[in-house]
């Protein structure tokens, strides 16, 4: 058995005939199990979590921590009639197992297999496909109101939110509105493990920590009752008096009044690994038929010592690893590592550089910076909006903030970048990790929107490095800009080989010089290697292509328009949605310069992509050297019929 706790008779491989988990096809089967069999079920679930994520990678730590909680949820509530929402969806693996998908768990995050997040296409038990934190309470507010208006008052909405997600402002907007409707059957389960990716920070985190560290008032009352009962005559009256002022005791011993002052009933603290205690708390909460907070304490990585003792993030989302040793397979030198090294170097040169992250210290590569300059690193929690406006304040104070977030999460802070940073022409550098197609984590994590939404921001400069030297070079250039914001974006995964320039065209790098002016191939960042390969394939078809890397894709270099005017076709290749991205910016630049040359854009189709490996997705959407060369050949042939019959060389 892989897990460290539970019934020793549990097999190492779960889900096979004879296991408890194999017999649970849905919540009805779970409800039928005797309570004394649930610890064995929990152990089987943990074994399957470990063995599956060891092969595929995935969010292991968060799910090890919610096993008993999820069992209790599905024993108390009647999903899918009752709606269980997960914030964020990465803690829903156990939910998937208990709703009929345990037998497919070895396909997790694989093409055609189970998503790493809730998926409406997979199950009627999956309500929202969220992986952006702090949203579930707003969904729950709307759902509960809808059921009330439809006179479906027997339905309960349950939102499970991690303490890390409660650092997001949207969660507090939702709480404020939920509290204004005292008759909604809505239960908020705060899964409190003191962490988001790494330990949760901020005032809320400190408050919850005080709750975790304080003996519950119920325990104190029980202690007083047990002892006063032994005192003749006065014992019972004194206890009754104490019980009558339990609100005061609660205020002193467990300051949950933060929630109760909002008008939300509070139940806690509950041991999240005591399934029966969680069940009892949830049944009590369901009986109120009004908004209730159930505060559950869990331990991230629970039951697997390597995860529990992993200081950085408790195996939040490891890549493939050895389940017997906990050792992850070596990761190649990646873009995140390069940024992490370079920002430390720049920090040594520039004392005004400070770094900000939104609960993503490790994933964005800022751990080395935090160790080198701990006073110049700010982790604001899951609060990207605050991150950008706080950065604006830091810039107003004479510093140069570098804000590192995933590209997909920048969407949440667009207004702040536009109105709080750019409007004031402030020197803030935003570094976007996981830009473009990311693959395994599915539709919500693909960073395919940024090059489109950033085009509308006045005074913003955007750089897209093609390789490691260019990332270092462009980051250095970005932090030198002192009259407006800058953005650097790069993809997930290993850095490709260095691609040296063979010349310069204005501020652009020429990566391949064509013999004749047939096609100008404009490559956005890491698409450079693909473009150079495509140019070679075109050359074999008698079509000469010049490949340029703009380096800065906003604003585009002034030399681009006259260069395009000398060619028959301009083709732009980018790892971003085709609508409003670099291709559209190139076409607009040529129109403004009265250059009447056709522009073809090769990028990500404007749809939500299913999860699969990055390379497979790029191949399916045509972002390969062969695919691009084929389409450009067809485009040129339509304009030059003679090429159709020209032999390859």
């Amino acid at each position: 058995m892989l897990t460290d706790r539970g019934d020793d008779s549990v097999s190492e491989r779960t889900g096979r005939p004879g296991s408890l988990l194999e017999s649970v096809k849905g919540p009805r089967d779970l409800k039928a199990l005797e309570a004394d069999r649930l610890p064995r079920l929990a152990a089987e679930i943990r074994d399957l979590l470990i063995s599956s994520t060891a092969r595929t990678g995935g969010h292991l730590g968060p799910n090890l921590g919610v096993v008993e909680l999820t069992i209790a949820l599905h024993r108390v509530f009647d999903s899918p009639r009752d709606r269980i929402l997960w914030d964020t969806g990465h803690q829903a693996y156990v939910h998937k197992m208990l709703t009929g998908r345990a037998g497919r768990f070895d396909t997790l995050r694989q093409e055609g297999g189970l998503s790493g997040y809730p998926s409406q296409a997979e199950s009627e038990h999956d309500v929202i496909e969220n992986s952006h934190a702090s949203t579930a309470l707003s969904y729950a507010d709307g759902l509960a109101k809808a059921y009330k208006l439809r006179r479906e008052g027997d339905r309960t909405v349950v939102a499970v939110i991690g303490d890390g997600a409660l650092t997001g402002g949207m969660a507090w907007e939702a709480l404020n509105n939920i509290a204004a409707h005292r008759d909604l059957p809505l239960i908020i389960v705060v899964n409190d493990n003191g962490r988001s990716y790494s330990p949760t920070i901020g005032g809320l985190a400190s408050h919850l920590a005080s709750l975790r560290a304080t003996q519950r008032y119920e325990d104190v009352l029980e202690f007083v009752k047990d002892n006063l009962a032994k005192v003749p005559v006065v014992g019972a009256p004194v206890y009754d008096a104490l019980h009558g002022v339990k609100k005061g005791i609660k205020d002193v011993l467990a300051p949950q009044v933060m929630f109760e002052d909002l008008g939300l009933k509070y139940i806690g603290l509950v041991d999240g690994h005591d399934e029966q205690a969680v069940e009892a708390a949830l049944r009590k909460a369901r009986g109120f038929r009004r908004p209730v907070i159930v505060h559950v304490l869990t331990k991230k990585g629970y039951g697997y010592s390597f995860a529990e003792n992993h200081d950085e993030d408790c195996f939040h989302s490891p890549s493939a690893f050895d389940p017997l040793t906990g050792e992850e397979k070596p990761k190649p030198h990646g873009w995140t590592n390069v940024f992490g090294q370079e920002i430390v170097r720049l920090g040594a040169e520039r004392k005004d550089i400070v770094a900000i992250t939104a609960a993503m210290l490790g994933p964005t590569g800022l751990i080395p910076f935090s160790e080198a300059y701990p006073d110049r690193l700010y982790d604001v929690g899951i609060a990207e909006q605050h991150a950008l406006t706080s950065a604006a304040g830091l810039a107003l104070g004479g510093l140069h903030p570098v804000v590192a977030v995933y590209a997909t999460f920048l969407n949440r802070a667009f207004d702040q970048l536009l109105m709080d940073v750019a409007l004031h022409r402030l020197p803030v550098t935003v570094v976007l990790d996981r830009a473009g197609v990311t693959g395994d984590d599915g539709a919500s994590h693909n960073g395919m929107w940024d090059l489109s939404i950033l085009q509308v921001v006045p005074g913003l400069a955007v750089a897209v490095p093609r390789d490691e030297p260019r990332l270092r070079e462009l980051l250095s250039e970005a932090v030198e800009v002192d009259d407006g914001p800058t953005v650097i974006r790069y993809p997930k995964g290993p850095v490709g080989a260095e691609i040296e320039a063979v010349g310069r065209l204005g501020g652009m790098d020429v990566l391949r010089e064509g013999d004749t002016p047939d096609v100008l191939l404009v490559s956005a960042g890491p698409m450079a290697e693909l473009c150079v390969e495509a140019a070679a394939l075109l050359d074999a078809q008698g079509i000469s292509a010049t490949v340029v890397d703009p380096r800065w894709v906003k604003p585009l270099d002034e030399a681009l328009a006259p260069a395009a005017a000398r060619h028959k076709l301009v083709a732009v290749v980018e790892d971003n949605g085709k609508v409003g991205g670099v291709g559209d910016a190139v076409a607009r630049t040529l129109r403004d310069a009265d250059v009447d040359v056709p522009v073809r854009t090769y990028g990500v189709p404007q749809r939500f992509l299913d999860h699969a490996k990055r390379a497979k997705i790029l191949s399916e959407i045509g972002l390969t050297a062969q695919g691009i060369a084929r389409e450009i050949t067809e485009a040129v042939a339509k304009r030059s019929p003679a090429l159709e019959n020209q032999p390859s060389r």
Side-chain angles (χ1 to χ4, degrees), residues 281-303:
L282 293 175
R283 293 186 193 281
K284 182 178 180 181
R286 186 181 63 178
F288 285 117
R289 309 307 293 167
R290 58 170 288 189
V292 183
I293 297 271
V294 179
H295 188 176
V296 177
L297 299 184
T298 61
K299 185 176 179 61
K300 194 172 182 178
Y302 186 80

Side-chain angles (χ1 to χ4, degrees), residues 1-4 11-12 46-48 50-51 303-305 323-324:
M1 189 177 69
L2 297 174
T3 49
D4 305 308
S11 62
E12 182 171 282
R46 285 193 168 89
D47 280 348
L48 184 54
I50 295 166
S51 62
Y304 185 48
S305 59
L324 298 179

Side-chain angles (χ1 to χ4, degrees), residues 228-243:
L228 286 181
K230 302 173 185 177
V231 181
V233 184
V234 298
V238 171
Y239 171 75
D240 289 341
L242 284 174
H243 197 274

Side-chain angles (χ1 to χ4, degrees), residues 254-414:
Q256 64 267 30
V257 288
M258 175 179 67
F259 296 115
E260 294 193 341
D261 283 350
L262 283 173
L264 299 168
K265 182 68 178 175
Y266 176 92
I267 298 175
L269 302 166
V270 183
D271 181 354
H273 302 298
D274 182 338
E275 194 278 336
Q276 292 297 292
V278 179
E279 266 198 53
L282 293 175
R283 293 186 193 281
K284 182 178 180 181
R286 186 181 63 178
F288 285 117
R289 309 307 293 167
R290 58 170 288 189
V292 183
I293 297 271
V294 179
H295 188 176
V296 177
L297 299 184
T298 61
K299 185 176 179 61
K300 194 172 182 178
Y302 186 80
Y304 185 48
S305 59
F306 298 116
E308 288 187 33
N309 298 323
H310 188 252
D311 291 336
E312 183 178 326
D313 64 7
C314 294
F315 274 27
H316 178 85
S317 182
S319 55
F321 63 94
D322 183 338
L324 298 179
T325 65
E327 292 185 11
E328 290 188 64
K329 293 182 179 179
K331 295 179 181 179
H333 184 56
W335 293 91
T336 305
N337 305 105
V338 177
F339 164 70
Q341 295 169 0
E342 190 63 17
I343 193 65
V344 170
R345 187 190 70 78
L346 291 170
E349 293 181 355
R350 294 268 303 271
K351 305 303 181 185
D352 62 329
I353 288 180
V354 294
I356 301 175
T357 184
M360 305 286 276
L361 187 65
T364 58
L366 283 175
I367 287 179
F369 189 91
S370 70
E371 294 171 344
Y373 318 109
D375 294 338
R376 292 156 58 188
L377 185 285
Y378 303 99
D379 185 343
V380 300
I382 303 177
E384 290 84 2
Q385 292 174 297
H386 171 70
L388 264 296
T389 304
S390 178
L394 286 162
L396 285 169
L399 301 175
H400 191 109
V402 176
V403 182
V405 296
Y406 282 9
T408 183
F409 297 142
L410 179 67
N411 305 352
R412 301 162 67 102
F414 173 75

Side-chain angles (χ1 to χ4, degrees), residues 104-176:
R104 298 181 57 210
F105 216 72
D106 60 346
T107 69
L108 180 70
R109 302 172 81 240
Q110 306 302 297
E111 183 184 6
L114 294 179
S115 167
Y117 295 90
S119 169
Q120 293 178 348
E122 286 180 13
S123 173
E124 62 181 344
H125 297 278
D126 291 5
V127 186
I128 51 175
E129 305 188 3
N130 65 319
S131 61
H132 287 196
S134 312
T135 62
L137 300 189
S138 294
Y139 280 113
D141 176 58
L143 261 177
K145 289 173 179 173
Y147 294 149
K148 178 185 176 184
L149 288 173
R150 290 165 58 92
R151 301 187 185 281
E152 299 178 31
D154 62 319
R155 306 182 75 172
T156 302
V157 178
V158 183
V160 184
I161 183 167
D163 61 298
L166 275 180
T167 63
M170 188 173 172
W172 289 93
E173 293 176 23
L175 282 172
N176 182 56

Side-chain angles (χ1 to χ4, degrees), residues 77-98:
F77 300 101
D78 295 317
S79 179
R81 178 128 186 105
D82 292 330
R83 307 302 267 164
I84 302 175
L85 285 60
W86 298 89
D87 191 336
T88 64
H90 66 235
Q91 58 181 330
Y93 289 8
V94 185
H95 161 81
K96 287 175 180 268
M97 293 182 187
L98 297 177

